[in-house]
Amino acid sequence: MEYLFEKVSYLRGLADGLDINEKSKEGKLLLNIVDVLDDIVDSLEGLALEQDEMAEYIDYIDEDLSDVEEDIYDVYDEFDEDFDEYEDGEEE
């Protein structure tokens, strides 16, 4: 992401160094393109941050789900063992 930010900053520096006339059609176009690229990089940076937060949140949910699964399967295994013993007792 930093790479894109640096590239857009470089383009902005080039545009400033070329002393582009903001009043000409070409100058308006080039400067607006650089502005749009800057906005895109800002948006992508925000999305990357949100993605990182979501990944962290999903990891927490996954850990919690693992704990719940362990609890449920432990109870189920105990119930299943009790049920097997009951069935074995009936057969005799």
Side-chain angles (χ1 to χ4, degrees), residues 1-20:
M1 192 61 56
E2 189 66 31
Y3 175 74
L4 291 174
F5 182 73
E6 289 173 5
K7 294 292 268 186
V8 172
S9 294
Y10 175 75
L11 290 175
R12 184 169 299 284
L14 280 177
D16 290 343
L18 291 174
D19 198 30
I20 295 176

Side-chain angles (χ1 to χ4, degrees), residues 1 38-54:
M1 192 61 56
D38 196 30
D39 291 343
I40 290 171
V41 169
D42 287 343
S43 294
L44 288 175
E45 187 176 28
L47 287 174
L49 288 173
E50 288 179 23
Q51 182 182 8
D52 290 343
E53 289 174 5
M54 291 296 285

Side-chain angles (χ1 to χ4, degrees), residues 56-74:
E56 186 177 333
Y57 184 67
I58 288 170
D59 287 341
Y60 288 138
I61 290 173
D62 186 46
E63 289 173 11
D64 290 345
L65 181 59
S66 293
D67 293 343
V68 169
E69 286 175 339
E70 283 180 23
D71 291 344
I72 288 174
Y73 288 128
D74 285 346

Side-chain angles (χ1 to χ4, degrees), residues 66-85:
S66 293
D67 293 343
V68 169
E69 286 175 339
E70 283 180 23
D71 291 344
I72 288 174
Y73 288 128
D74 285 346
V75 169
Y76 177 75
D77 288 341
E78 290 173 12
F79 175 75
D80 195 34
E81 289 171 6
D82 291 343
F83 186 72
D84 288 342
E85 290 175 13

